[in-house]
Amino acid sequence: MRKVILGLAVSLDGFIEGPNGEYDWCFTDQDYGLSDFFKRIDTAFVGRKTYEMTLAMGDQGSNGFPKLKEYIFSTTLDKVKDGATLIKGDLKAEVEKIKKERGKDIWLFGGAGLTTSLLNLRLIDEISLAVHPILLGSGKPLFKNIKDRINLTLLDTKTYLTGLVSLRYSLEYT
Amino acid sequence: MRKVILGLAVSLDGFIEGPNGEYDWCFTDQDYGLSDFFKRIDTAFVGRKTYEMTLAMGDQGSNGFPKLKEYIFSTTLDKVKDGATLIKGDLKAEVEKIKKERGKDIWLFGGAGLTTSLLNLRLIDEISLAVHPILLGSGKPLFKNIKDRINLTLLDTKTYLTGLVSLRYSLEYT
């Protein structure tokens, strides 16, 4: 079955954006394993807020992103951009259906709301964090409103000379 | 000058205790670099809540802890246990004075209130985290109410077979 991978850059204090949506602190000087990651996936899960943010930013070219099949999760939107698929229905059933389809793994690319829902429904299989050497102090936290403890198994770590530490875990639902 | 080192076990989602004060998730099967850490320090900074918690737990023997000179930080207490020193006055001046005294490094052993105050006063020199492979979901966060961004320099990482990742950073105040 295809895996859902939560893959994001975070500060050491667990924020994915600064208090004003800043992500200027994210390192862009090298690949940090991203091209290998992109080989694993062909699909992206995107929350409504993240979707609207990327729409507002416009199409800034591929930025090295592979062409992904996009699913936009929203209870309020009625339509999404051409080529993307809107998921409004039963989250658990819809995600389980997509995971059973043929294809590569699926990148869960924020935001916090969708991440929380999928964690609580036990639908996320891996977490892959690029921990940046900074305390942001405030902003948007990666993890919030998780209901229960979730045990993790460390799969891989990589330390870069710039101080970025990549941590990859699988989730052990009991 | 002596360094103040914030050294703690955290969950991947940044909690130092579960919602009911639990720390049963902290690995105790091996040393995890603690005995080397203890060689560096001879003094502990303890917040009032943490102090009261350890008092309530009673003296459970040394637990491998070295004998440390303890400073208890509180604006409300009038006295502390024999052998410990109460710090009530100007936090910045008092900590700077202690840092200039002769001695080994100083272990900042929580809690969140004292940690926040010392981070915002730029008095913490190192952060040493034992990142445990678990999402607790809720509890006491390590970092909160930090006012400004703080850049970090990664000093050292160590990955254990159990999935614990030790991360050590110095703080770069600008």
Side-chain angles (χ1 to χ4, degrees):
Chain A
M1 197 158 69
R2 305 165 82 186
K3 292 193 164 99
V4 175
I5 305 161
L6 174 64
L8 283 170
V10 290
S11 63
L12 185 66
D13 50 348
F15 295 104
I16 55 174
E17 286 176 14
N20 303 303
E22 306 94 324
Y23 51 91
D24 59 294
W25 48 275
C26 292
F27 291 168
T28 55
D29 62 303
Q30 52 181 289
D31 180 72
Y32 294 112
L34 214 55
S35 59
D36 279 338
F37 177 69
F38 284 151
K39 285 180 195 150
R40 285 186 60 186
I41 58 165
D42 63 5
T43 299
F45 282 175
V46 183
R48 193 258 307 162
K49 285 183 195 161
T50 306
Y51 168 68
E52 289 179 340
M53 194 181 77
T54 55
L55 273 191
M57 285 164 55
D59 186 358
Q60 302 180 344
S62 69
N63 289 317
F65 275 47
K67 182 75 190 149
L68 298 172
K69 178 158 180 51
E70 286 182 63
Y71 292 93
I72 318 300
F73 291 78
S74 168
T75 51
T76 53
L77 293 177
D78 287 317
K79 54 177 286 213
V80 293
K81 65 182 180 186
D82 285 353
T85 305
L86 176 64
I87 304 286
K88 296 188 72 128
D90 179 334
L91 191 60
K92 188 166 191 292
E94 295 280 2
V95 169
E96 284 177 343
K97 186 170 135 267
I98 297 164
K99 286 176 76 168
K100 281 177 192 150
E101 288 171 2
R102 284 174 68 105
K104 295 188 184 181
D105 289 333
I106 299 159
W107 183 20
L108 170 57
F109 178 64
L114 182 58
T115 299
T116 299
S117 300
L118 295 184
L119 275 175
N120 286 332
L121 289 167
R122 298 168 179 265
L123 292 168
I124 298 180
D125 301 286
E126 275 187 33
I127 295 176
S128 179
L129 301 182
V131 180
H132 283 63
I134 191 169
L135 300 176
L136 287 176
S138 57
K140 185 189 281 190
L142 172 57
F143 297 112
K144 63 174 184 184
N145 301 326
I146 302 171
K147 278 188 297 193
D148 298 306
R149 281 189 189 191
I150 301 171
N151 286 307
L152 308 171
T153 297
L154 184 68
L155 299 176
D156 190 38
T157 69
K158 188 155 184 199
T159 301
Y160 295 87
L161 285 175
T162 52
L164 186 147
V165 180
S166 148
L167 302 175
R168 198 160 63 86
Y169 298 90
S170 64
L171 285 78
E172 310 299 321
Y173 301 112
T174 45
Chain B
M1 198 158 67
R2 306 164 82 187
K3 291 191 163 98
V4 175
I5 305 161
L6 175 63
L8 283 170
V10 290
S11 63
L12 185 66
D13 51 349
F15 295 105
I16 55 174
E17 287 175 14
N20 303 303
E22 305 93 324
Y23 50 93
D24 60 295
W25 49 275
C26 292
F27 290 169
T28 54
D29 62 304
Q30 52 181 286
D31 180 72
Y32 294 111
L34 214 54
S35 58
D36 279 338
F37 177 68
F38 285 152
K39 285 180 196 149
R40 285 187 59 185
I41 58 166
D42 63 6
T43 298
F45 282 175
V46 183
R48 193 258 307 161
K49 284 184 195 159
T50 306
Y51 168 69
E52 289 178 341
M53 193 182 76
T54 55
L55 273 191
M57 285 162 57
D59 185 0
Q60 302 180 344
S62 68
N63 289 318
F65 275 44
K67 182 74 190 150
L68 299 173
K69 178 158 179 54
E70 285 181 64
Y71 292 92
I72 317 301
F73 291 77
S74 167
T75 52
T76 53
L77 294 177
D78 286 316
K79 55 178 285 211
V80 292
K81 65 182 179 184
D82 284 353
T85 305
L86 175 64
I87 304 285
K88 296 187 73 130
D90 178 336
L91 192 59
K92 187 164 191 291
E94 295 279 1
V95 169
E96 282 176 344
K97 185 169 136 267
I98 297 165
K99 285 176 77 169
K100 281 179 191 147
E101 288 171 3
R102 285 175 69 104
K104 295 188 183 181
D105 290 334
I106 299 158
W107 183 21
L108 171 58
F109 178 65
L114 182 58
T115 299
T116 299
S117 300
L118 294 184
L119 275 175
N120 286 332
L121 289 168
R122 297 165 180 265
L123 292 169
I124 298 180
D125 301 284
E126 275 185 35
I127 296 176
S128 179
L129 301 182
V131 180
H132 283 63
I134 190 169
L135 300 176
L136 286 176
S138 57
K140 184 188 281 190
L142 173 56
F143 297 112
K144 63 175 184 183
N145 302 324
I146 302 171
K147 277 189 298 195
D148 299 305
R149 282 189 188 192
I150 301 170
N151 285 308
L152 308 172
T153 298
L154 184 69
L155 299 175
D156 190 38
T157 69
K158 188 154 183 197
T159 301
Y160 295 87
L161 285 175
T162 51
L164 186 147
V165 180
S166 149
L167 301 175
R168 199 161 62 86
Y169 298 90
S170 64
L171 285 78
E172 311 297 322
Y173 300 112
T174 45

